[in-house]
Every structure is written in C-alpha cells, then in structure tokens.
Amino acid sequence: MTMIRNRSELAISRRALVRAAGALGASALCGAGFWSAPASAAGARDPRLVVVILRGAVDGLSAIPPVGDPDYAALHGDLAFAASGERAALPLDGFFAAHPSLVAFRRMYDQKHAAVVHAVATGYRDRSHFDGQDVLESGNPKPGRTESGWLNRTLGALPASASRRALGVGATAPLIIRGPAPALGWAPPGGVGPANSDLTERVLDLYAHRDPPLGQQLSAALAAEKVASESSSGDPARKPHYGGAVEQMRLAAEGAARLLAAPDGPRIAALAFDGFDTHQNEGAAQGVLAQRLQGLDAAFDAFETDLGDAWADTVVVAITEFGRTVRVNGTHGTDHGTATAALLAGGALAGGRVIADWPSLKAERLYEGRDLYPTADLRGVLKGLLADQFGLSSKTLAEVIFPDSAGVAPMKALVA
C-alpha cells in the first residue's frame, strides 16, 4: 500500500473521516505509506497474528462438544449435541465435535488449518465479566488498573527487524491492543453515507496547512480505510450476505484481513465480538449461541479468503474470558463458569487436532461442583503462539507480556 496521491479517488464514509481524524492521537501512522517499517524481504516468512476476543464467556461444551464423554449428554441437557442422529455435531476426532454453525472452521480442521485447545482458562477463577475480560486482555494475573494490553506489549517487545505494525478493529480499540506502542484503529462502516471527494479534499487541505504531520497521518488513515472497505478479489460465492450481527462480524474480519494482507500493512490485529453471554435461551443447533458462532465462522472464512497468500503465515486465535456451567439453568441457558475452548485457525497452524488433557465431566471432577475443570492455562497457549510466530523468549513472555507467569510454560509446536 502507498499513500493516496489523488485525493479525488477517495470514497469513504463521513463517520470514517471523523473517526480517522479524531483517533490519530492514539493510532499513529507514520512515513510515506501506512507504516514506517519496511515490508519483509521477498520470500521471507512474514508472520501474522490475529486475536479475536469473544465477549460474554463462550459455552465451550456447546461450541466444541465432548460427545464422547459418557456424562456429557445428561449434564448438558437440551443443549447437548451427539455424535450422530438428529442432534449430531460436526465430527472432529471421535471424542470431540464442532457446533453445526462452525462449518468453515471444521473444513479448516480437516485441512489441518484449524485446532482447538479445550478445558482451557486464564488464571482468573471468579466469574465477573468485567474482571475476567480485564485479565484476558491485560495479561496480568489479577484484575486491576492497567495501562496496556498484552498484545500491545508484544509490539514493544518485538526485535527491531520485525514488523511492529498493529491494528485494533472496532469503534473503540480493545484493551488488548491499547498501550504505548502505536496501532491503527479501524471499524467497519455503519449506517452513515459516503463523504464526497470535495469534503475529503477540504478536510485534508485543512490539516495539511494547519498541522502537516497530522495531515500526513490522516492521509494514511484514509488510505487504510479505502483498502479495508474496497471489494475483495476473493471468490464471490464464498461471501454470502448473512445480515445482522453475523454480517457485521464477517465485515470486520474482511476489512481487517485486507489490511493485514497488504505488503506494508499491519501484522498483528485484535477484534472483539459481543453477545456470548447466554444465560437465557442459549439454544443448541439454533438459537443465540448458534448465531454468534455462525458469525465467528464467517469471520474465520473471511480471514482465509481475504488474506490470500498471507494466510499461509497467519494464525487467528479466538478466546473468551471464561466458560459456562456444565448444567443447564432454569431459563434454558448456562451461567458463568470456568474452563472453555479456544479456537485456532490459520495456514501457519499445526492443525487438525484437539489439544486437551480432558478432566472428564464426572461429578467429582467438576470445578467447584459446577464447571468444566481447567487443565490448560490460556497464557501458555498464547505464549506458544508468540514464541512460534515472533520468536519471543520465555523470559520476555513471562516478565513483560504476561507478568508473573514464569510457572506457565509456552505450549509447544502450535505452528507448523
């Protein structure tokens, strides 16, 4: 990507124009193009990492149901799936399956481009969304005031030879990407119409004369907006229009993927999707969770399609603050729990497997008598990805990225 030279070519929304102008204090973009850092040399590995925060606490026993556990069906009641028959989920390895909404994810799994880490949790053991998300995104062992997220600290820890370029997707950047290291902010378009070229040109001229550095950054931000919003070269048949929240999730991933695919675009990105707090009417193959998982699946598919050749160097990991109860509550939903499942996808992944030290669902093995027992630390999964993708040392991971986590070892061989 290069700087836009002909201002009349810009076609962006008024909301994007205002957002780009107002957010640049926290989303600095430098140099003649989008970024000051050079693209990787031709033929060299150019790794990318995308973190998708699933807010609300995902029911891992429905997203990746353990259909081979003899206690699962009775405990999870009318939300449970089966290995076959009317309530069948998508088979993975004989013991675990995938929710019927995760069609693209299951295809990637079969291609060894997707994997699951099950019975996983952060070090947080209470059940507050606010505190759980704080721990998940800050990387700190306990909730509390923090100035940065662990993905932002990752940027600062990368060697000078690496691409220190990052993207936060959403009207408000997720905590995980906020901090002293600069990152671009972008959000998919909403309901505001496009700004005409005259408005764009006048705003750019204003900044160019009054504040040239900011004017240059605004030009770069608008160029990023144009790249993220333009039509993709992917197969149109792979891009159905879902409508509603599902379509918004797909569009967010699609725009992020186009920016990540650019030679001088970001190499690290963070997105956040809401709506996984399923206390009521969670549903099985149909319902609230099914719709949200369909959106996540559409996002996985959009990343694969719109990243193009860059998919081979990419890992996307979808994580949540904690899991949900094993038993169904009185309103056909599940309450706040502990362990859950993390979903990974990407061409760089050593996929085609469910990684789990399965604790079983026997009554004596449930955490506090109600939750899936955590046997894997999510920080270990994330440390493993950061070590494999960017070569960060165990010391940096334990002291800088995830403070006070020396006892949590990086998970090995997640990347092919």
Side-chain angles (χ1 to χ4, degrees), residues 256-400:
R258 292 173 193 154
L259 289 167
L260 287 159
D264 54 354
R267 294 299 178 260
I268 290 175
L271 300 82
F273 296 145
D274 297 327
F276 289 89
D277 193 14
T278 50
H279 286 287
Q280 299 177 341
N281 301 317
E282 179 177 317
Q286 303 291 327
V288 176
L289 181 62
Q291 183 191 53
R292 296 298 171 178
L293 290 177
Q294 184 185 21
L296 176 62
D297 197 61
F300 280 132
D301 190 63
F303 275 117
E304 180 188 37
T305 301
D306 288 274
L307 275 163
D309 292 341
W311 176 251
D313 286 335
T314 299
V315 173
V316 182
V317 55
I319 55 178
T320 190
E321 63 261 38
F322 43 73
R324 308 196 72 82
T325 50
V326 171
R327 296 179 181 87
V328 181
N329 64 26
T331 55
H332 302 286
T334 49
D335 296 322
H336 298 176
T338 307
T340 185
L343 277 61
L344 293 73
L349 199 67
R353 54 191 174 137
V354 178
I355 303 167
D357 178 11
W358 189 246
S360 91
L361 295 175
K362 295 187 180 302
E364 62 272 19
R365 290 294 294 152
L366 298 181
Y367 183 77
E368 297 186 345
R370 51 174 273 166
D371 301 339
L372 176 63
Y373 192 93
T375 59
D377 194 310
L378 182 60
R379 291 171 294 179
V381 179
L382 300 172
K383 283 183 176 184
L385 291 175
L386 293 175
D388 287 350
Q389 283 290 79
F390 303 113
L392 294 180
S393 69
S394 295
K395 179 179 175 65
T396 297
L397 291 168
E399 296 179 4
V400 178

Side-chain angles (χ1 to χ4, degrees), residues 91 114 216 218 222 284 328 351:
Q216 184 182 45
L218 178 59
L222 296 179
V328 181

